[in-house]
Amino acid sequence: MLAVELLTRVGLATVLGIAIGFERQWRSRMAGLQTMALVSMGSALFLILSAYSFDQEGDRLRVAAQIVSGIGFLGAGVIMKQGLSVTGLNTAATLWATAAVGALAGAWMWREATAGAAIIVAANWFLQPLAGRMDRVHGKGGRDAAPADYLLEVVCGRQVEAEVKALVAQVMPR
């Protein structure tokens, strides 16, 4: 493979990853510009490695299959459960889909890669507000509720201050 072709494929994967990451960064999500660019670029590099470095008799698609499971493992690390709320599912799905865009770019399926990136950005950009409106209509406060900070102020007499402090310290999580 010529260096220009390699740079073009990996460059396309990186640019498309940045496009997806821009939307994530704009919304202050866990994985943004750098993460999406690296996932897309890495997927392209692994697919190019698979296509051009191994003998033609072996199963060259094995690396592509490992991209899918490897990114799934990475995505699982961003899913967090806080009480009844689960966050990070969309970020994990976006990581997974971005890896597919990178793999398509690495295979030089540039039309499919570009369309995939556009669809991912459109889905994240337009479906999130729609899902929020649907949640409000059905009486839910939102699916990804951020943890709340509380301020507790206790007013008591001086004679019981130490006892009240001890009781509050006893029941508050650390």
Side-chain angles (χ1 to χ4, degrees):
M1 171 186 286
L2 294 173
V4 172
E5 185 179 356
L6 173 77
L7 289 173
T8 304
R9 290 181 186 201
V10 175
L12 175 65
T14 305
V15 167
L16 294 175
I18 289 170
I20 295 166
F22 180 82
E23 180 274 332
R24 306 302 294 163
Q25 194 80 37
W26 184 267
R27 293 180 185 266
S28 300
R29 298 300 191 223
M30 285 187 272
L33 273 170
Q34 290 173 292
T35 304
M36 297 302 168
L38 289 170
V39 164
S40 185
M41 175 184 36
S43 295
L45 288 169
F46 275 121
L47 205 68
I48 291 167
L49 169 74
S50 176
Y52 293 98
S53 296
F54 300 128
D55 62 12
Q56 300 299 317
E57 295 175 17
D59 184 7
R60 294 181 299 147
L61 296 177
R62 187 173 286 166
V63 173
Q66 296 306 315
I67 292 171
V68 173
S69 61
I71 293 299
F73 180 77
L74 179 67
V78 300
I79 299 171
M80 302 291 164
K81 184 175 185 299
Q82 299 171 346
L84 297 175
S85 178
V86 176
T87 60
L89 287 172
N90 190 56
T91 299
T94 303
L95 282 168
W96 195 61
T98 301
V101 167
L104 286 166
W108 201 230
M109 298 174 72
W110 63 271
R111 288 179 205 89
E112 293 84 352
T114 304
I119 291 166
I120 293 167
V121 170
N124 280 336
W125 198 265
F126 297 112
L127 293 180
Q128 190 267 340
L130 176 62
R133 282 195 295 274
M134 290 172 71
D135 285 345
R136 282 191 296 277
V137 166
H138 293 291
K140 298 178 186 173
R143 293 177 293 163
D144 290 342
D149 292 323
Y150 295 96
L151 175 66
L152 174 67
E153 186 175 330
V154 178
V155 179
C156 64
R158 284 196 185 273
Q159 65 276 15
V160 294
E161 182 179 350
E163 184 181 343
V164 170
K165 278 184 182 179
L167 288 171
V168 169
Q170 192 177 37
V171 297
M172 295 299 286
R174 294 178 197 244

